[in-house]
Amino acid sequence: MFTKILVANRGEIALRVIRACREMGIASVAVYSDADARAPHVREADEAVRIGPAPSAQSYLKGDRIIEAAKETGAQAIHPGYGLLSEREWFSKAVRDAGLAFIGPPPEAIAAMGSKVAARQLAIAASVPVVPGTTEALRDAAEAEEIAKKFGYPVLLKAAAGGGGKGMRVVREASEMSASLDAARREAKNAFGDDAVYVEKYVVGPRHVEIQVLGDTHGNMVSLLERECSVQRRHQKMIEEAPSVAVTPELRRRMGETAVRAAKAAGYVNAGTCEFLLDRDGNFYFLEMNTRLQVEHPVTEFVTGIDLVQWQIRVAAGEALPFRQDDIVPRGWAIECRITSEDPANGFLPSTGTVNYLRVPSGPGVRWDGGIEAGSEVGLHYDPMLAKLIVYAANRELAIDRMHRALLELTIDGIESSRDFHLRVMEDEEFRAGAIEIQWLERRLDSLVGRAPPPGTARLAALVAALIADSDRHVPRVNGSAANGSSAASSATPSTDAWTRTARLEALR
Ligand code: MV4
């Protein structure tokens, strides 16, 4: 086993990896930019190395500098976390070439899944179901119309070099094809420098369900079951859960086998995730594979009882997985809310400032994976995700109630956050019924963040009522009656001193 690991990341995921190292008796090395000199991950690691100025391009993306830091400190392995260098084929290779272990997949597996079209072709070759369509670049609108006629409208034009939804266009009838193809081509060219576009049948109203896989260097690969990630906005996930209300034991088995087959076809080792669309009839289609540890891995850890980061480390050190597929059974329900420094009431505008007060939820079944503390500066250099709040309970209803309670315990002062938005979702009848799909959040956003009264409504409403009654009592009297004419009602209100009024105002704020 390794005795020292360098963590090539920041924020909550760096802390997550450092915690796993500490539990395993492995020393950890943090790296940091100037903006993070006093960040929690730097303090919690056993050692820390400064790698450059605040911008990621001059610090956390400097792979060579990070590999150098690993050698200087005597680390034998590098954990890349997610984002940043985690899915760069060259970095996985450079780490290996430096004689260090990359705690993630080999460069060949990253390359095999890196291009969406290559992944689609690999899936087809491995009899993994994909959405019906082509993989060849379309020549012109006439060809596109011919193919669309075969599959039936609506169809979806996708950029061959694509990802993140760029260069995607839904085409509902033949008359729209020519203009949509031009638009998709233009967008693809701008985003990827490649205007190749292909066509798929458009899946209407699907869920985004993904399967976690874990493989070792001895040829063992297991499915660690599904996560439901449909609650997303502009391809940014907001809430994830495990298991999925839409997945039966039989579907779980088939999706798991399929994901393992896709991963094996790519020569995959370590933790990875196969993304699927699951349609209303229970058909599933492979979309792509994420060749990293994902943000939402904790929900899988809760329902499987398996520590994914510890197993990533063991697998990278050459250990064989001790569990068989039959051992992996979901137990209970887990939900994760991403706490971001975005203002839901303002179109999710990024918010910056100093966290001057932080109250972190705790109690039964609550896990806080955070990267901030009181005093943290939140700027625009890095991802707006501040923390993840994850809860675990016996079933979905109890998990939602528990998440609601945990969110009520959360206070972040100094910056706007997604906290109130998550409270609203936990109170939402459709969400509680599990009636979610990939368009659900964007369809419901206005009613969730609109002018409706704020969450925790009953208690707040009582406070507002008390305040109004109170202010009535203190309205200057004109001609012996309250200026607003409410003297009869207010005279029944018990008197309240200035200190209590201030406290109530604070609570409201
Ligand atoms: C689709 C689709 C419907 N039909 N393909 C979006 C990003 C890219 N990775 C694949 N995406 C989609 N492909 C067909 N044939 C709908 C989406 C999609 C989506 C997929 C997963 C999670 C969120 C999404 C949000 C919008 C669209």
Side-chain angles (χ1 to χ4, degrees):
M1 182 44 67
F2 311 121
T3 58
K4 194 185 277 192
I5 291 173
L6 182 141
V7 185
N9 215 300
R10 64 179 304 281
E12 69 87 17
I13 196 62
L15 284 162
R16 170 70 188 90
V17 177
I18 291 165
R19 284 174 165 144
C21 290
R22 190 147 292 150
E23 288 170 5
M24 296 171 81
I26 300 168
S28 55
V29 181
V31 293
Y32 64 96
S33 72
D34 291 338
D36 282 340
R38 276 174 296 185
H41 80 275
V42 176
R43 196 181 55 238
E44 290 302 319
D46 294 297
E47 288 172 68
V49 180
R50 179 192 174 272
I51 43 170
S56 297
Q58 295 170 54
S59 51
Y60 296 107
L61 290 172
K62 286 268 181 215
D64 294 343
R65 176 75 195 91
I66 289 169
I67 290 168
E68 222 174 88
K71 297 195 126 181
E72 283 163 12
T73 54
Q76 302 103 24
I78 297 181
H79 195 301
Y82 51 70
L84 299 174
L85 295 166
S86 61
E87 294 182 276
R88 306 285 172 95
E89 177 192 355
W90 68 264
F91 185 64
S92 171
K93 184 165 187 307
V95 172
R96 190 171 68 184
D97 292 348
L100 304 169
F102 181 74
I103 304 175
E108 296 79 10
I110 299 177
M113 289 298 187
S115 146
K116 304 309 159 210
V117 168
R120 184 171 157 88
Q121 280 163 339
L122 180 147
I124 293 165
S127 326
V128 168
V130 297
V131 187
T134 63
T135 47
E136 298 301 312
L138 292 165
R139 265 179 286 113
D140 50 34
E143 187 195 24
E145 280 173 45
E146 199 179 299
I147 297 166
K149 204 162 151 192
K150 193 170 117 207
F151 294 119
Y153 288 92
V155 295
L156 186 63
L157 300 175
K158 286 189 174 183
K166 283 205 192 91
M168 271 180 22
R169 273 289 185 292
V170 181
V171 185
R172 303 199 179 270
E173 52 181 279
S175 66
E176 300 173 3
M177 184 62 84
S178 178
S180 295
L181 183 59
D182 287 348
R185 279 222 168 109
R186 225 176 309 117
E187 215 171 295
K189 182 83 187 169
N190 278 337
F192 315 108
D194 175 1
D195 74 351
V197 167
Y198 69 99
V199 65
E200 285 180 12
K201 172 102 190 116
Y202 180 56
V203 182
V204 179
R207 291 167 183 262
H208 174 172
V209 176
E210 56 187 31
I211 301 282
Q212 175 74 56
V213 299
L214 179 64
D216 64 21
T217 53
H218 307 272
N220 303 303
M221 176 95 64
V222 289
S223 155
L224 297 183
L225 318 179
E226 82 277 9
R227 292 185 287 259
E228 161 81 64
C229 306
S230 296
V231 181
Q232 57 86 43
R233 177 186 162 270
R234 301 190 182 175
H235 304 288
Q236 288 297 319
K237 295 168 185 166
M238 300 293 291
I239 298 171
E240 305 96 340
E241 49 186 301
S244 164
V245 291
V247 176
T248 61
E250 159 26 45
L251 183 56
R252 179 170 298 125
R253 190 186 51 72
R254 283 194 291 125
M255 289 184 81
E257 279 174 4
T258 304
V260 165
R261 200 159 64 243
K264 280 186 170 166
Y268 207 84
V269 176
N270 216 284
T273 297
C274 292
E275 290 189 4
F276 294 94
L277 290 176
L278 175 63
D279 76 13
R280 292 162 182 177
D281 303 323
N283 303 304
F284 61 90
Y285 309 97
F286 173 84
L287 275 183
E288 55 194 72
M289 185 169 188
N290 299 315
T291 57
R292 59 167 191 277
L293 178 72
Q294 287 192 246
V295 171
E296 59 270 28
H297 75 274
V299 295
T300 296
E301 297 189 315
F302 266 135
V303 301
T304 63
I306 290 169
D307 188 308
L308 263 166
V309 179
Q310 286 201 12
W311 279 106
Q312 282 195 290
I313 293 169
R314 293 199 187 100
V315 158
E319 248 184 66
L321 294 176
F323 16 77
R324 295 190 350 231
Q325 193 59 58
D326 292 347
D327 302 330
I328 317 293
V329 185
R331 191 183 144 89
W333 211 280
I335 304 178
E336 170 177 285
C337 288
R338 297 189 183 195
I339 309 299
T340 65
S341 54
E342 295 172 310
D343 184 3
N346 247 315
F348 287 85
L349 198 74
S351 171
T352 61
T354 305
V355 177
N356 47 50
Y357 179 77
L358 178 65
R359 183 191 179 209
V360 167
S362 57
V366 174
R367 170 173 168 181
W368 174 265
D369 277 22
I372 55 158
E373 57 195 359
S376 290
E377 295 281 344
V378 177
L380 294 171
H381 284 295
Y382 312 113
D383 190 274
M385 200 184 75
L386 307 174
K388 307 178 307 207
L389 178 57
I390 312 107
V391 300
Y392 179 64
N395 61 45
R396 189 169 187 269
E397 190 183 4
L398 294 171
I400 294 172
D401 291 342
R402 179 159 279 172
M403 178 61 86
H404 190 266
R405 183 269 294 173
L407 286 162
L408 285 174
E409 290 181 16
L410 171 63
T411 306
I412 306 174
D413 269 353
I415 50 167
E416 299 299 328
S417 83
S418 56
R419 180 244 190 204
D420 290 3
F421 158 80
H422 287 301
L423 274 167
R424 296 276 180 82
V425 176
M426 295 306 130
E427 293 163 358
D428 185 87
E429 286 311 316
E430 282 178 13
F431 178 80
R432 296 188 70 97
I436 47 177
E437 37 78 29
I438 59 174
Q439 260 109 41
W440 178 79
L441 180 55
E442 276 166 89
R443 198 175 61 242
R444 291 298 315 281
L445 207 52
D446 284 347
S447 54
L448 286 166
V449 302
R451 260 148 293 285
T457 26
R459 220 179 101 250
L460 271 171
L463 281 163
V464 171
L467 258 161
I468 290 169
D470 236 34
S471 61
D472 284 352
R473 283 178 48 82
H474 297 278
V475 171
R477 280 169 192 272
V478 181
N479 295 334
S481 70
N484 60 5
S486 64
S487 61
S490 63
S491 63
T493 312
S495 78
T496 310
D497 62 31
W499 190 92
T500 304
R501 283 200 307 280
T502 307
R504 283 177 179 170
L505 273 168
E506 276 299 299
L508 279 170
R509 193 180 63 77

